[in-house]
Amino acid sequence: MVLLQPKLHLKVSQRQILTPGLVQMVSVLALNKLELKDMIKEEMGENPVLEELEDSVPLIDDVGRREEERERASAEETPAAAADQKDPFEEIDFGSFFKDYLDPGYRSQGEMEEIERPSFENFLSKPSTLTDHLVWQLGSISTRPPVREAAEVVIGNLNEDGYLIASDEELLGIVPPVSPEVDAAKSESVFKEAAAIGIASAAVPSGEIADEPASASLDPASDEWEAPAASTPNAAAFAPAMDAAPPQAVPPVAEPVAVKSNGHLPVPRFSADDLHEAIEVVRQLDPPGVACRDLRECLLYQLRYHQAQLGKNGNGTAQVLADAVAIVDQHLRAVQNKLLKEISRAISRPPEAIEAALNYVRTLDPRPGLQYNKIQARLIEPDVAFVKHGDEWLVMMNDDDVPTLRLNPAYKRLLTKDGNDRDTRNYVKERFKSAMQLIKNIEQRKQTILKVCYTIVTRQRDFLEKGIDELKPMMIKEVAEEIGVHPSTVSRAVSSKYAHTPQGVFELRYFFSESVNGPEGGGTSLLILKRRVKKLIEDEDPSKPLTDEQITRILQSQGIQVTRRTVAKYREDMRIPSTHQRRVKK
């Protein structure tokens, strides 16, 4: 029988660990310019040894030296000059002192009146969300308590597009919620259906691949920003750009209740009938089409809302709305497949009426929730600039407004000053070591980014001079081998950082892409291949769209060796419908 008793065992092993300095170096390298400025300000607040080296701000040791000189000069003054000075006792305002602490027994009308100032809470603001908007409307509707609770659960289970992603069984707690991947797949399906119909979405989904540079306020044909000019010579190359609207002030609202699973299913206090009534209540709120489960329901509720508004103030579009309702209700799949003649025969309407109804449907919003789920303003400020000087390309770091750190000599004197105890010296020594490590890591970050950017400039010279079609394939591993660092170091150096180029503002990761076999045995960037596929589809005849096999043959005739499966994969990545869905029958 084995006895259970504590024992001591010795084991010798080797393992690799990260020192605090190495951890800080890795984290500093991954920061962009704005994040680096925030981190430096935070470190300056925590470490008294660090101070900013700036001409307009006097240093702490300079201030101390000036105070010593002032005290020395005041000690050398003559007694006569000291006698001419004003007695500080006379500067005390005894009237206000006794007024505050002694009650005279009466107060005038002006003294008793209190000025009512606005509260600071009125100046606080936060972005308006769809949840806030719906809960605010729900508060003005008189409903039974179970229906109100069910409506709050429904609002809490809406995705950012405004769709009800949970089933009735999930909302009632009968089955556990599905995984987020399933919800994301539903949103993806809705977007693809809307794209097949030809409805322009209100915003680009997070997973969509963009082909254009990140600069929205920069003219690609010039080096000038559409922003106020700054005082520095290179300010035009580093002006920030805003790509979203600022947040708006909204009144505080109650948080909705969302069904969550934490080991066991919650028991709701409403029935299935209450849930169905609550869903209808939420669907009657603004914006029209919210709380629907698929694209068909969303478009139908918007059309019926327009019909109700038409009854109040008619504008002559009643027949167009009726045709649109019939098409969306029964023939939405036929619209996606471009079967317009079949739809015309099915609802006994001429082709011109079908086209007019579809044009009206295309004006609807397939993602009604996005107009209230506003995206936070995202500030993009380039970290580097690629500037051509003569025949050479230079890489300029945008660190003009990044605080330059220095060590405070006043604290260094505390290490050698007599009278300081051991704890004080140890604290100052530890702060000095931390400050020196931070300054070293910031400088090493700068040098690493410069090495990576000079490698990018060397490999992408044609892109910088001729345009985006000359982008060459480039891998992170190749750049890492060239500058002699690990690939993860290059990945952190280009993470969330932007470069200002003559072609626009690009994220540094944009220059890295895989290659495919191009003409004359060379490599063609994957991004360029996608652009060519997209260009071929845009220039095709809508009545006879190109198949994936035909696109493959065209690319192979241009010297790019790809397969049909590869073309189909890239087409789906760019959210381009299939040949059958793109065909328009005349």
Side-chain angles (χ1 to χ4, degrees):
M1 181 176 179
V2 180
L3 298 178
L4 298 177
Q5 56 183 354
K7 294 183 180 180
L8 295 177
H9 296 278
L10 294 178
K11 182 180 179 181
V12 180
S13 62
Q14 291 182 346
R15 59 177 180 174
Q16 187 177 10
I17 61 174
L18 296 178
T19 62
L22 186 58
V23 172
Q24 187 186 66
M25 182 189 68
V26 171
S27 61
V28 168
L29 181 60
L31 300 178
N32 57 28
K33 177 188 174 181
L34 301 178
E35 295 170 344
L36 179 63
K37 290 168 59 178
D38 295 339
M39 190 272 292
I40 290 177
K41 292 179 181 179
E42 183 179 352
E43 289 291 334
M44 290 175 60
E46 296 178 357
N47 193 343
V49 177
L50 288 172
E51 63 180 6
E52 183 177 357
L53 181 59
E54 188 175 352
D55 297 336
S56 59
V57 179
L59 303 179
I60 295 180
D61 51 342
D62 295 339
V63 175
R65 184 170 58 254
R66 293 172 188 174
E67 291 180 354
E68 293 178 0
E69 293 175 357
R70 191 180 302 109
E71 292 177 359
R72 192 182 303 110
S74 61
E76 296 175 357
E77 292 182 353
T78 59
D84 295 338
Q85 292 181 355
K86 195 173 183 180
D87 188 0
F89 190 77
E90 298 178 357
E91 299 179 0
I92 302 177
D93 189 1
F94 290 98
S96 60
F97 176 81
F98 287 109
K99 179 180 178 181
D100 294 336
Y101 291 94
L102 297 178
D103 188 3
Y106 70 93
R107 292 185 183 275
S108 63
Q109 184 70 19
E111 293 176 347
M112 296 181 61
E113 182 179 1
E114 295 182 359
I115 301 177
E116 184 176 348
R117 296 180 176 88
S119 173
F120 282 101
E121 295 180 356
N122 297 335
F123 298 100
L124 300 178
S125 64
K126 66 176 181 179
S128 176
T129 63
L130 178 65
T131 300
D132 300 332
H133 185 62
L134 295 177
V135 171
W136 173 72
Q137 296 178 78
L138 184 63
S140 61
I141 299 177
S142 177
T143 58
R144 295 182 292 108
V147 176
R148 178 174 297 276
E149 180 181 351
E152 293 176 352
V153 172
V154 170
I155 294 175
N157 283 273
L158 300 180
N159 63 2
E160 62 178 5
D161 297 334
Y163 286 88
L164 181 57
I165 56 179
S167 63
D168 291 348
E169 290 77 12
E170 296 176 39
L171 298 177
L172 292 172
I174 300 176
V175 297
V178 297
S179 62
E181 291 77 11
V182 177
D183 297 337
K186 293 180 181 178
S187 301
E188 182 77 10
S189 175
V190 169
F191 181 81
K192 288 183 178 180
E193 292 179 2
I197 298 175
I199 302 179
S201 181
V204 179
S206 58
E208 184 164 358
I209 300 176
D211 295 334
E212 301 301 328
S215 59
S217 59
L218 182 69
D219 186 2
S222 65
D223 295 336
E224 305 254 340
W225 285 86
E226 298 177 0
S231 58
T232 58
N234 298 318
F238 296 114
M242 301 294 291
D243 60 356
Q248 300 178 352
V250 295
V253 295
E255 293 294 333
V257 180
V259 174
K260 297 182 179 180
S261 176
N262 47 10
H264 59 277
L265 298 178
V267 179
R269 290 173 293 182
F270 51 84
S271 62
D273 295 336
D274 296 332
L275 177 62
H276 296 159
E277 182 180 350
I279 293 177
E280 290 300 324
V281 169
V282 176
R283 288 178 178 177
Q284 302 303 321
L285 303 179
D286 180 75
V290 75
C292 295
R293 298 188 186 274
D294 52 30
L295 180 64
R296 172 182 166 276
E297 286 186 357
C298 178
L299 299 180
L300 276 179
Y301 270 87
Q302 293 184 54
L303 290 172
R304 289 166 182 167
Y305 171 78
H306 293 175
Q307 285 181 325
Q309 295 297 317
L310 181 63
K312 299 178 182 179
N313 44 7
N315 53 8
T317 58
Q319 186 59 48
V320 176
L321 281 172
D323 296 340
V325 170
I327 292 174
V328 172
D329 190 17
Q330 301 294 335
H331 307 285
L332 193 59
R333 182 64 62 183
V335 175
Q336 297 173 1
N337 296 330
K338 311 296 182 181
L339 303 177
L340 303 186
K341 292 184 178 179
E342 289 76 357
I343 298 175
S344 177
R345 290 193 297 266
I347 66 174
S348 301
R349 295 289 296 166
E352 295 79 10
I354 301 300
E355 191 64 32
L358 289 180
N359 290 336
Y360 193 94
V361 171
R362 294 187 181 102
T363 63
L364 303 179
D365 189 359
R367 311 170 75 185
L370 286 186
Q371 57 182 303
Y372 291 97
N373 285 330
K374 295 182 179 179
I375 303 174
Q376 277 279 55
R378 182 166 175 247
L379 182 65
I380 295 178
E381 189 170 355
D383 297 82
V384 295
F386 299 158
V387 182
K388 189 173 185 180
H389 182 70
D391 294 335
E392 297 182 357
W393 284 91
L394 303 179
V395 178
M396 302 178 60
M397 288 290 297
N398 181 19
D399 54 359
D400 294 338
D401 53 346
V402 175
T404 303
L405 299 178
R406 72 185 292 269
L407 301 178
N408 188 353
Y411 283 90
K412 188 175 183 179
R413 290 193 292 266
L414 293 177
L415 297 175
T416 58
K417 186 177 181 180
D418 297 336
N420 292 329
D421 55 3
R422 183 177 179 181
D423 294 338
T424 302
R425 290 195 297 269
N426 290 339
Y427 172 77
V428 175
K429 186 183 300 183
E430 181 183 352
R431 294 292 89 191
F432 254 95
K433 183 178 179 181
S434 175
M436 293 176 63
Q437 184 68 40
L438 177 61
I439 296 176
K440 177 182 177 182
N441 291 336
I442 293 176
E443 181 62 25
Q444 188 171 357
R445 169 190 177 272
K446 178 180 178 180
Q447 298 302 324
T448 303
I449 294 177
L450 286 176
K451 290 180 181 179
V452 173
C453 290
Y454 270 111
T455 304
I456 293 176
V457 168
T458 303
R459 290 172 173 260
Q460 304 292 349
R461 188 183 184 94
D462 294 338
F463 164 81
L464 297 175
E465 295 178 352
K466 300 179 182 179
I468 193 173
D469 291 333
E470 299 297 328
L471 185 67
K472 299 293 188 299
M474 184 173 61
M475 303 294 292
I476 290 181
K477 184 178 180 181
E478 299 172 356
V479 176
E481 292 176 354
E482 184 172 342
I483 65 177
V485 297
H486 195 270
S488 62
T489 302
V490 178
S491 178
R492 293 187 179 94
V494 301
S495 174
S496 302
K497 299 177 182 64
Y498 291 82
H500 176 253
T501 71
Q503 307 301 330
V505 175
F506 294 85
E507 189 176 7
L508 290 180
R509 282 191 179 275
Y510 186 84
F511 297 99
F512 296 89
S513 62
E514 299 178 0
S515 64
V516 294
N517 294 330
E520 300 179 359
T524 300
S525 173
L526 182 60
L527 296 176
I528 302 302
L529 176 59
K530 289 184 177 181
R531 287 173 60 87
R532 292 193 180 185
V533 172
K534 185 177 181 180
K535 181 65 176 176
L536 290 174
I537 295 177
E538 289 177 350
D539 297 340
E540 68 185 4
D541 185 3
S543 61
K544 297 180 180 179
L546 297 174
T547 63
D548 295 340
E549 184 65 29
Q550 291 173 336
I551 296 176
T552 302
R553 293 176 182 175
I554 294 175
L555 293 176
Q556 290 177 351
S557 65
Q558 297 175 356
I560 302 177
Q561 303 301 322
V562 293
T563 61
R564 186 200 61 80
R565 183 178 300 177
T566 303
V567 172
K569 178 179 179 298
Y570 296 160
R571 176 181 56 76
E572 293 176 355
D573 289 343
M574 294 183 290
R575 305 181 187 275
I576 298 177
S578 62
T579 305
H580 189 64
Q581 293 176 337
R582 299 199 310 270
R583 179 178 290 110
V584 177
K585 294 184 179 181
K586 297 181 180 179

